Amino acid sequence: MRILVVHGPNLNLLGTREPGIYGTLTLSEVNRALSSLADELGVDVTLFQSNSESALIDSIHSAAASCDGILINPAAYTHTSVAIRDAVSAVGLPVVEVHLSNIHSREKFRARSFIAPVAVGQVSGFGLDSYLLGFRALFNHIKKGL
Ligand code: DQA
């Protein structure tokens, strides 16, 4: 099984970016935790971050041929990107959406996700655990379908 993990804009700044909201873990530390969970589950993982909407879309397209599912934190594009939602729909892979913060308890504009309706599910508000729980849930979901 291969899973693509996609991190959206500004997540490269984790660790120093609004630590009161997003915590002090860096993106490398998040990726290390995901890699060790992937090892434990026997999953091949590809890790990708970009600040560019088009690069994020290209990475989703490329997963169609090589991956069984996608774990994505679309970051701010969650709330704006019809194009990322369409890419998710187009590839037809199971997608789990994750957020470090609880997007439902912050500003009103963050509560709307363009991605959630085309995702298997969403995990939001648990910091690093959002990624780890989302990864496990995606793994279990894919396994059921194999
Ligand atoms: C985020 C929440 C988004 O609203 C925000 O734009 C982000 C990070 C999160 O992980 O909590 O960049 O996706």
Side-chain angles (χ1 to χ4, degrees):
M1 189 191 298
R2 177 177 288 275
I3 290 177
L4 171 67
V5 175
V6 178
H7 306 282
N10 301 306
L11 294 171
N12 55 309
L13 300 180
L14 282 180
T16 55
R17 174 193 181 200
E18 300 183 84
I21 296 173
Y22 299 117
T24 53
L25 279 188
T26 64
L27 187 62
S28 302
E29 289 167 328
V30 170
N31 282 339
R32 266 201 295 280
L34 283 166
S35 294
S36 77
L37 177 59
D39 282 352
E40 186 192 309
L41 298 174
V43 173
D44 288 329
V45 69
T46 302
L47 302 156
F48 181 73
Q49 189 276 330
S50 180
N51 297 319
S52 147
E53 191 174 21
S54 68
L56 294 167
I57 291 166
D58 289 342
S59 76
I60 293 167
H61 289 179
S62 66
S66 55
C67 293
D68 302 294
I70 302 173
L71 185 78
I72 186 166
N73 183 347
Y77 287 133
T78 307
H79 321 299
T80 63
S81 182
V82 176
I84 290 178
R85 175 204 179 112
D86 284 352
V88 166
S89 294
V91 297
L93 291 173
V95 169
V96 171
E97 175 186 342
V98 298
H99 298 282
L100 295 155
S101 65
N102 180 354
I103 60 170
H104 302 283
S105 68
R106 299 179 61 195
E107 301 95 329
K108 214 170 164 197
F109 67 84
R110 292 187 202 275
R112 181 180 66 169
S113 168
F114 280 103
I115 315 304
V118 293
V120 179
Q122 183 193 74
V123 186
S124 177
F126 297 100
L128 174 63
D129 277 342
S130 291
Y131 279 94
L132 300 178
L133 292 165
F135 195 93
R136 272 186 194 277
L138 178 59
F139 170 78
N140 289 339
H141 178 86
I142 295 167
K143 226 171 53 176
K144 270 187 233 151
L146 288 180

